[in-house]
Amino acid sequence: MKFLIITFALAGAIAAIPSLDLRTGDENVELGSVITDLINKTINSLIENLDEPLVLDDINVDENSEGLSGTIDVTNIKISGLKSLVATYIDVNLISKIMNITIHIPDINLQFAANVDVVLAELIPLYGAGKNSIDLSEIELTITGLIDIHDLKHIKVQDVGVLIHLDSATFNLNGLLNNVEFTALINTMLTDNVAAFINDNDALLSKVLGQIIEDIVNQNTTMENFESFP
């Protein structure tokens, strides 16, 4: 679900793009303008209807396996900052059909309450309850892929990848093992290492996020969403 919300942010950045860099002649420049308007209209509508903060459904896990046994309840999930995203660069080449987009999100704040009572690998107990928050700062996403304009009534994208760079991630978790000192240690460890881990392993997330973006764009960029197509 977190990936889906981030994806709304990614898609929304496309709506902020004023023009495409087209190098294929006047006809393709005009076509590129139509494509831009189509994508802008669809994504603008999606972002305008996005609540701030965005409230997500509760997550309830009740598992009984060798790897994980117990319950996890995550409630009151709220995300702020998605409406502040800005697209700083876009390049679409209608000959190669390759698109490159850079998106900047200044800050994202995630708040949630958690109640955890599980055993990991039949050996390690993990429990506790509390209100939590995570602050992500200076997020930059580089989106690449192919754009299919064979059917202008339903533009599609494919082979989309998303690389993430994150300046910092600050964790404020509470109630781990019902121990204040242990919780503080975990917060410090996560704050010091998560951003670097994501930046070093962004390729692992690229395909997952790319597939979500494909699904959203391919399901929404239709001519029914574009009133002034010539």
Side-chain angles (χ1 to χ4, degrees):
M1 176 62 72
K2 293 178 185 177
F3 281 150
L4 179 59
I5 300 306
I6 293 175
T7 298
F8 283 121
L10 303 182
I14 298 175
I17 302 301
S19 62
L20 297 176
D21 180 12
L22 302 171
R23 307 165 181 154
T24 58
D26 293 342
E27 292 181 0
N28 283 319
V29 170
E30 182 177 353
L31 175 59
S33 178
V34 171
I35 294 171
T36 304
D37 289 342
L38 172 58
I39 295 175
N40 285 351
K41 184 177 179 64
T42 302
I43 303 305
N44 269 329
S45 176
L46 188 146
I47 291 299
E48 287 173 2
N49 292 319
L50 191 64
D51 293 331
E52 183 82 301
L54 184 66
V55 179
L56 306 186
D57 293 337
D58 294 347
I59 299 174
N60 307 107
V61 176
D62 189 350
E63 182 68 24
N64 187 12
S65 65
E66 293 182 359
L68 177 68
S69 177
T71 59
I72 301 175
D73 294 314
V74 182
T75 59
N76 298 323
I77 309 170
K78 299 179 181 179
I79 298 180
S80 302
L82 297 181
K83 284 183 175 288
S84 64
L85 46 84
V86 176
T88 58
Y89 174 80
I90 184 169
D91 176 77
V92 176
N93 189 308
L94 292 186
I95 294 180
S96 64
K97 309 293 175 56
I98 295 175
M99 65 176 183
N100 292 278
I101 302 170
T102 301
I103 293 168
H104 179 249
I105 309 173
D107 298 286
I108 288 180
N109 172 260
L110 171 65
Q111 298 185 15
F112 61 96
N115 190 338
V116 178
D117 186 8
V118 298
V119 176
L120 303 176
E122 300 184 328
L123 182 64
I124 304 173
L126 182 61
Y127 56 88
K131 294 182 179 180
N132 312 277
S133 68
I134 303 172
D135 291 300
L136 308 178
S137 298
E138 300 301 331
I139 307 151
E140 186 170 277
L141 305 112
T142 301
I143 304 173
T144 60
L146 300 176
I147 184 167
D148 180 1
I149 58 170
H150 179 73
D151 180 4
L152 286 179
K153 293 186 177 181
H154 194 166
I155 295 174
K156 296 182 179 180
V157 294
Q158 62 185 26
D159 297 333
V160 176
V162 182
L163 297 179
I164 302 176
H165 180 82
L166 178 62
D167 187 65
S168 66
T170 303
F171 287 78
N172 183 21
L173 309 181
N174 293 282
L176 296 178
L177 301 187
N178 297 327
N179 184 297
V180 175
E181 290 78 11
F182 176 77
T183 300
L185 178 64
I186 295 299
N187 281 329
T188 299
M189 181 183 69
L190 293 174
T191 297
D192 289 345
N193 293 282
V194 165
F197 178 82
I198 291 176
N199 294 337
D200 292 341
N201 297 275
D202 56 358
L204 297 176
L205 299 174
S206 177
K207 196 168 185 179
V208 174
L209 293 176
Q211 184 60 58
I212 296 173
I213 289 181
E214 284 186 33
D215 293 342
I216 288 180
V217 173
N218 292 342
Q219 291 172 12
N220 287 280
T221 51
T222 63
M223 291 310 303
E224 286 76 7
N225 296 321
F226 190 68
E227 300 172 354
S228 58
F229 185 74

